[in-house]
Amino acid sequence: MPTPLITRFAEWLGTWRGKCEFSDGREGLMQFRLTSIFNGEAIQVETASYVSDSGAPMTRGSGFFSLDRQGRVVNNIYADYLGFAVLVETPDDPEVLSLEGGLPGNRTLAVTMSVADDLMTLSSRVGEGYKSAAGRPRTYTQMRRVGSFPRAEGVAE
Amino acid sequence: MNNGIADYLPWVGVWAGVGDTQAGQQTAIRTDFVPALDGTGLQMHFEAWDTEFKTLYHGVRAVLAPAPSGVLRALAYSTIHGPLLLELTPDDEGVMALAGESLGRNHISVTFVQDAPAELLFMAFWRPAGGNVPDGDDPRMTCRLKPATPWNSPTV
């Protein structure tokens, strides 16, 4: 039996790559890799971005998706340019995962992700203090699945 | 002393041993250290099983990485405690001491000590936040880990 986490995110597992526009105006190639760990109790997310022409590293990150007792996604994350944070799911449309949490230095991070037709879309914004970050520049990427769809543990073919 | 990622790169590989859980059960432990984040971080995968490998007592996947300030922290998921952010506390060379609180408000402490060139002493405990600070006699998970051949590598 797949866990509730894998039931919800089975189609997100695998490796995704696409062009990325960063909030500071830079552009690059983004890669996300989502892997089920501990029989689907959590999903590890590994991220990396590169300069398109040279392949030089731009950003690196890591994180874990898990579900809390209320069934909300908790995403503890690390990004080398932002630091460490714990993001918690906020209400949104059923097919969209929206997360928000505090960063060091009185900043907040809001992330929105979705997968549709083998296209993963991610948008994130960093805000300051208690104010909404809606007007701030965002990091935006759309990524295609690379390679075959990895069947999660316990998911029938 | 402030420890850096490079201090722990000699530990990259698989370590295994038999020790005791905090609850007093005998446990078979396996820990993998692998470079992560293009070499700027270190990933640790930890599993503690009953000695017949029927029950996973505790599993942890962690990534040790530098914050923009340069301070090292560990991002982790634990099958007991859920998502974690642990601080690397300054310690002697050959020691990795991590501590922090879970979202469930448990205090967690994890320490690896390189006792000998081919031996890591692993110690860990957790207690409710605000609870008594354990002294040396309080229960904790302990295990002496030795380098092990990766199980997925062919034997030459």
Side-chain angles (χ1 to χ4, degrees):
Chain A
M1 279 286 290
T3 61
L5 181 74
I6 296 302
T7 299
R8 182 170 171 192
F9 293 107
E11 290 188 6
W12 293 36
L13 299 177
T15 303
W16 304 79
R17 286 189 197 135
K19 290 182 179 175
C20 182
E21 299 164 7
F22 290 92
S23 57
D24 61 6
R26 294 180 300 163
E27 293 187 353
L29 292 174
M30 179 68 82
Q31 173 173 293
F32 268 56
R33 180 176 293 138
L34 284 80
T35 314
S36 166
I37 60 171
F38 300 121
N39 286 323
E41 264 196 48
I43 293 172
Q44 183 171 14
V45 184
E46 298 162 277
T47 71
S49 67
Y50 304 90
V51 177
S52 304
D53 296 340
S54 66
M58 293 176 74
T59 66
R60 308 171 188 91
S62 189
F64 298 95
F65 284 174
S66 57
L67 297 181
D68 68 10
R69 288 178 187 152
Q70 289 77 41
R72 294 176 306 180
V73 174
V74 177
N75 179 201
N76 51 336
I77 67 154
Y78 163 76
D80 58 356
Y81 62 105
L82 292 173
F84 295 82
V86 178
L87 310 181
V88 178
E89 185 173 11
T90 56
D92 209 317
D93 295 335
E95 68 277 12
V96 176
L97 174 62
S98 288
L99 300 153
E100 197 166 314
L103 286 167
N106 195 33
R107 295 175 302 159
T108 57
L109 175 62
V111 180
T112 302
M113 299 175 73
S114 62
V115 171
D117 299 326
D118 258 3
L119 185 69
M120 176 178 281
T121 303
L122 180 142
S123 172
S124 69
R125 280 192 171 94
V126 174
E128 280 183 36
Y130 195 63
K131 296 175 188 169
S132 164
R136 287 185 158 256
R138 64 177 181 170
T139 294
Y140 181 80
T141 177
Q142 283 198 313
M143 296 174 283
R144 290 280 176 195
R145 185 187 296 284
V146 178
S148 58
F149 176 74
R151 194 161 55 86
E153 296 148 334
V155 177
E157 287 186 71
Chain B
M1 176 180 173
N2 292 321
N3 305 72
I5 290 288
D7 297 328
Y8 303 115
L9 292 181
W11 296 1
V12 165
V14 182
W15 299 75
V18 174
D20 296 296
T21 68
Q22 187 168 332
Q25 302 138 311
Q26 203 173 46
T27 181
I29 290 178
R30 174 187 160 95
T31 300
D32 295 15
F33 291 96
V34 295
L37 303 163
D38 287 336
T40 61
L42 183 70
Q43 177 171 291
M44 295 166 282
H45 181 87
F46 172 92
E47 293 183 4
W49 291 81
D50 75 292
T51 51
E52 294 183 347
F53 295 95
K54 291 178 179 171
T55 304
L56 178 67
Y57 290 143
H58 195 183
V60 179
R61 177 73 61 89
V63 178
L64 186 68
S69 65
V71 172
L72 289 182
R73 295 192 177 95
L75 177 82
Y77 178 80
S78 150
T79 59
I80 292 178
H81 303 290
L84 297 171
L85 292 178
L86 302 176
E87 303 282 336
L88 182 77
T89 55
D91 213 313
D92 295 336
E93 190 177 344
V95 178
M96 180 191 290
L98 297 162
E101 272 190 18
S102 68
L103 297 184
R105 306 276 295 157
N106 291 318
H107 177 79
I108 290 143
S109 170
V110 179
T111 307
F112 290 91
V113 179
Q114 182 144 27
D115 261 2
E119 183 170 295
L120 290 181
L121 174 61
F122 168 78
M123 295 170 288
F125 69 85
W126 67 272
R127 59 180 161 79
N132 292 333
V133 177
D135 58 32
D137 294 330
D138 284 304
R140 59 190 65 206
M141 182 179 272
T142 58
C143 188
R144 289 192 181 278
L145 300 165
K146 303 275 190 183
T149 302
W151 292 347
N152 57 358
S153 291
T155 306
V156 178

